[in-house]
């Protein structure tokens, strides 16, 4: 399987500018205005007028960049737009219709059809479903129509109003506009202060060392089925994963972090702390690299080796500790390719800790929706592939004293498999461990956080916690005494049955 090329790493970053809602809004507003007035480009006064009037939109752009208006809060975005219509009443309906057309062209055709067809082989007819998904979608991407529409309709209207005023030399209602902006700011602040109350609790203290309890592992293999929504996993027919779940310890309330974006979640799992501390706050990484130590640094300190095999975006956070695979690949074969790649890496590097990200489930959720059968099929495929992979690891002797950890980084909500704001289906993820160090047949019902991954892996492998780790070691899963295998074959076959 091909590695992500430098071109892909950069292309993925550029795509994030359009894919993440925050940078998208200003880019889309400017792009729409320029395309709408394409015939005026030759006229220098157009650039002057549009440039000066654009300055009036900057406070609004900043305000809408700062405030997320997550989930139900997005409904309140129509109030500033309606307020604008009442106060100023100045709209160019043709411009707004053009913007709406362009928005749906971008999301439904460019992204939902053209982009997915080229990148992962989705059908050319994907728009017939994708438009429904975009309308419902609630995540922090540009595909959140109900958030983006009231934002860009207002900003474009304001820009157009000032363009007309500057062009005709009529008085700018400076005071009214200033009060209008202050009103939106106060409105946004109050909404986020009092209604935005579903973020996960944050642990204030650092990871505490656990007395030497449990049995150390020689190795930890972690398989992250990206975006696997918990109740959809339970609905799927996954005999192998079910067996692992039942023979090991399952965490029934394992909570992801906020915002539940892939690069954010992986950074939290690998550092043991929150986005605020490791610095990765969305998939759009402005400043490359996490700001704190990761489990990979901990392993190095102890002379051990760990790797993360994942998509190109993860390089933005964890740099050289990532073996990236190309995400430009048919979605029906990508996970198989990843695990083949993982075998090669394992044979070459004999890793102490190996974190492998499977992406096909997540990609199907994004391109076809999570509430359709295709999504379940992908989870079932992952089950077969993981079984085959673990069986290979056992044959090669890599599982002898190994802890196997299977989880998702976040769930996915209705719509375009959205995740970020912790809508229904995103918050709690499947999470279970098994192996000689792990309690058998145990279900832990207490609430835990994915920030526990790094300290737990560190504890199992006997290496220091990453320096800013806050997660607690998942002690409920740790077995106190070793059960000696009855015979040779059992010692090699604790995970697979054949
Ligand atoms: Zn993800």
């Amino acid at each position: 399987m091909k590695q992500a090329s430098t071109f892909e790493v950069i292309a993925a970053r550029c795509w994030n500018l359009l894919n993440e809602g925050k940078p998208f809004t200003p880019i889309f507003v400017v792009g729409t205005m320029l395309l709408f007035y394409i015939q005026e480009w030759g006229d220098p006064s157009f650039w002057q007028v549009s440039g000066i009037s654009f300055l009036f939109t900057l406070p609004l752009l900043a305000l809408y960049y700062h405030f997320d208006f997550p989930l139900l809060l997005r409904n309140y975005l129509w109030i500033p737009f309606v307020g604008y219509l009442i106060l100023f009443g100045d709209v160019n309906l043709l411009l707004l219709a053009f913007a709406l057309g362009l928005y749906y062209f971008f999301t439904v055709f460019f992204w939902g059809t053209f982009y997915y067809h080229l990148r992962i082989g989705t059908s050319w007819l994907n728009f017939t479903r994708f438009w429904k998904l975009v309308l419902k979608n609630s995540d922090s991407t540009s595909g959140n129509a109900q958030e983006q529409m009231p934002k860009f309709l207002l900003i474009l209207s304001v820009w157009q109003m000032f363009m007309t005023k500057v062009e005709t030399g009529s008085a700018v209602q400076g005071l009214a506009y200033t009060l209008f902006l202050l009103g939106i700011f106060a409105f946004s602040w109050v909404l986020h202060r009092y209604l935005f109350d579903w973020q996960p609790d944050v642990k204030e203290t650092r990871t505490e060392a656990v007395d030497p309890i449990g049995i150390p592992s020689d190795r930890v293999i972690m398989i992250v089925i990206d975006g696997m929504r918990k109740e959809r996993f339970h609905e799927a027919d996954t005999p192998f994963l079910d067996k692992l779940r039942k023979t090991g310890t399952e965490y029934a309330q394992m909570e992801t972090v906020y915002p539940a974006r892939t690069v954010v979640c992986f950074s939290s799992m690998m550092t043991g702390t929150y986005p605020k501390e490791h610095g990765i706050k969305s998939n759009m990484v402005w400043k490359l690299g996490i700001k704190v130590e990761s489990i990979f640094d901990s392993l190095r300190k102890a002379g051990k080796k760990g790797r993360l095999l994942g998509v190109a975006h993860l390089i933005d956070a964890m740099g050289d500790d990532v073996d990236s695979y190309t995400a430009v690949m048919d979605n029906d074969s990508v996970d198989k390719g990843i695990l083949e790649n993982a075998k090669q890496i394992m044979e070459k590097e004999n890793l102490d800790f190996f974190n492998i990200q499977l992406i096909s489930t997540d990609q199907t959720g994004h391109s076809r929706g999570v509430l359709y059968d295709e999504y379940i099929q992908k989870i079932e495929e992952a089950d077969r592939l993981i079984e085959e992979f673990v069986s290979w690891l056992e044959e090669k002797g890599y599982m002898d004293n190994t802890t196997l950890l299977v989880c998702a980084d976040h769930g996915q909500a209705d719509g375009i498999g959205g995740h970020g704001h912790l809508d229904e289906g995103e918050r709690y993820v499947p999470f279970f461990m098994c192996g000689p160090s792990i309690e058998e047949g145990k279900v832990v019902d207490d609430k835990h956080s994915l920030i526990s991954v790094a300290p737990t892996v560190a504890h199992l492998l006997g290496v220091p916690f990453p320096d800013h780790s806050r997660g607690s070691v998942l002690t409920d899963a740790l077995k106190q005494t070793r059960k000696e295998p009855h015979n040779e074959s059992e010692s090699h076959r604790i995970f697979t049955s054949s």
Side-chain angles (χ1 to χ4, degrees):
M1 187 174 183
K2 272 200 308 190
Q3 257 199 317
S5 61
T6 311
F7 172 78
E8 187 183 336
V9 173
I10 293 165
R13 277 174 206 157
C14 293
W15 170 245
N16 271 338
L17 285 172
L18 291 176
N19 189 239
E20 289 285 324
K22 282 189 177 202
F24 172 81
T25 312
I27 292 170
F28 180 75
V29 164
V30 172
T32 302
M33 212 46 146
L34 292 180
L35 285 175
F36 189 71
Y37 286 108
I38 197 163
Q39 286 171 323
E40 316 265 331
W41 285 15
D43 178 2
S45 73
F46 163 74
W47 295 101
Q48 202 182 355
V49 169
S50 58
I52 292 168
S53 49
F54 175 66
L55 298 177
F56 288 94
T57 68
L58 287 178
L60 265 181
L61 286 170
L63 206 136
Y64 280 167
Y65 190 90
H66 180 73
F67 290 105
D68 284 319
F69 289 88
L71 301 188
L72 78 152
L73 262 60
R74 65 184 174 173
N75 299 326
Y76 292 91
L77 282 165
W78 291 101
I79 291 174
F81 183 55
V82 171
Y84 168 85
L85 294 179
I86 293 167
L87 284 170
F88 302 98
D90 201 336
V91 280
N92 181 339
L93 287 177
L94 207 60
L95 170 67
L96 299 192
F98 179 72
L100 288 170
L102 200 59
Y103 177 75
Y104 283 100
F105 174 78
F106 169 72
T107 50
V108 177
F109 288 96
F110 183 77
W111 169 359
T113 309
F114 181 69
Y115 167 83
Y116 277 139
H117 177 78
L118 292 187
R119 190 162 81 75
I120 59 172
T122 314
S123 149
W124 278 114
L125 294 175
N126 203 35
F127 61 86
T128 56
R129 181 180 298 169
F130 207 75
W131 69 271
K132 287 182 269 187
L133 305 179
V134 168
L135 283 178
K136 283 189 282 190
N137 188 53
S138 67
D139 67 9
S140 52
T141 69
S142 53
N144 184 335
Q146 293 182 56
E147 177 197 330
Q148 290 296 331
M149 285 193 298
K151 282 185 172 177
F152 68 68
L153 292 177
L154 173 65
I155 300 166
L156 284 168
S157 296
V158 166
W159 191 353
Q160 176 66 58
M161 173 179 78
F162 282 107
M163 260 173 88
T164 313
K165 286 189 191 300
V166 172
E167 203 170 16
T168 58
S170 54
V172 172
Q173 298 156 280
L175 181 65
Y177 184 60
T178 307
L179 290 175
F180 176 66
L181 287 176
L182 289 174
I184 304 180
F185 175 79
F187 176 69
S188 309
W189 186 85
V190 168
L191 281 179
H192 287 75
R193 175 76 179 73
Y194 294 102
L195 295 183
F196 180 27
D197 55 4
W198 60 88
Q199 280 181 276
D201 295 337
V202 168
K203 192 164 166 276
E204 300 292 344
T205 52
R206 297 248 179 262
T207 304
E208 281 163 38
V210 177
D211 285 338
I213 61 164
I215 305 151
S217 289
D218 292 336
R219 199 188 317 271
V220 177
I221 303 224
M222 173 171 180
I223 299 175
V224 182
I225 304 170
D226 202 302
M228 181 164 73
R229 178 166 163 159
K230 200 174 171 200
E231 101 269 7
R232 297 295 276 163
F233 164 53
H234 291 168
E235 283 162 36
D237 177 31
T238 52
F240 182 65
L241 292 178
D242 291 348
K243 197 187 112 192
L244 294 181
R245 199 150 70 90
K246 284 173 189 140
T247 52
T249 299
E250 177 184 12
Y251 282 80
Q253 287 201 76
M254 181 55 79
E255 196 175 38
T256 188
V257 293
Y258 191 94
R261 308 292 296 152
T262 297
V263 186
V264 180
C265 298
F266 272 83
S267 300
S268 283
M269 289 192 284
M270 295 298 96
T271 60
T273 189
Y274 301 99
K276 214 173 148 183
E277 207 161 26
H278 61 61
I280 307 293
K281 293 172 184 164
S282 83
N283 276 2
M284 183 64 235
V285 177
W286 296 104
K287 197 167 172 299
L288 296 182
I290 42 174
K291 292 195 288 194
V292 299
E293 279 182 10
S294 70
I295 183 71
F296 304 108
D297 297 306
S298 302
L299 289 158
R300 265 189 290 276
K301 283 182 188 171
K304 296 191 178 196
K305 259 194 298 188
R307 299 295 289 167
L308 166 57
L309 175 61
V311 287
H313 292 322
L314 293 169
I315 293 179
D316 295 353
M318 280 163 284
D320 291 341
D321 291 318
V322 179
D323 277 312
S324 69
Y325 48 74
T326 176
V328 184
M329 195 166 180
D330 191 292
N331 200 39
D332 290 331
S333 54
V334 65
D335 281 353
K336 192 170 168 43
I338 291 165
L339 291 172
E340 288 306 318
N341 201 351
K343 290 178 189 172
Q344 288 168 16
I345 293 170
M346 198 64 196
E347 286 202 300
K348 204 169 121 211
E349 311 237 6
N350 193 19
L351 298 169
D352 301 289
F353 171 62
F354 198 7
N355 182 356
I356 302 157
Q357 177 200 21
L358 299 182
I359 51 166
S360 164
T361 301
D362 180 76
Q363 292 190 153
T364 294
H366 284 305
S367 56
R368 304 291 289 155
V370 294
L371 301 181
Y372 295 84
D373 289 344
E374 292 108 312
Y375 184 74
I376 295 272
Q377 281 163 21
K378 279 291 161 232
I379 296 174
E380 294 175 351
E381 275 172 38
D383 180 72
R384 319 285 180 265
L385 291 170
I386 293 170
E387 178 170 23
E388 196 277 322
F389 178 64
V390 174
S391 168
W392 178 87
L393 289 169
E394 285 196 306
E395 264 163 40
K396 297 280 174 181
Y398 293 121
M399 296 305 283
D400 286 352
N401 186 26
T402 294
T403 295
L404 182 61
L405 192 172
V406 179
C407 69
D409 52 342
H410 50 73
Q412 290 188 282
D414 196 3
I416 52 175
H419 48 92
H421 293 323
L422 299 187
D423 201 349
E424 195 184 335
E426 293 178 40
R427 183 183 289 263
Y428 294 105
V429 296
F431 189 100
F432 44 94
M433 299 191 281
C434 52
S437 311
I438 303 299
E439 288 274 4
E440 289 159 36
K442 193 167 177 181
V443 178
V444 179
D445 284 320
D446 304 337
K447 208 178 200 181
H448 284 275
S449 164
L450 280 180
I451 65 163
S452 282
V453 169
T456 303
V457 172
H459 178 84
L460 282 165
L461 294 176
V463 303
F465 301 130
D467 61 356
H468 285 71
S469 174
R470 288 178 189 274
S472 39
V473 176
L474 298 171
T475 46
D476 291 312
L478 304 178
K479 199 187 264 184
Q480 298 307 310
T481 50
R482 186 187 299 272
K483 189 181 113 194
E484 290 305 325
H486 295 303
N487 54 49
E488 181 71 2
S489 71
E490 192 181 325
S491 77
H492 287 284
R493 287 281 176 194
I494 43 173
F495 298 92
T496 56
S497 48
S498 59

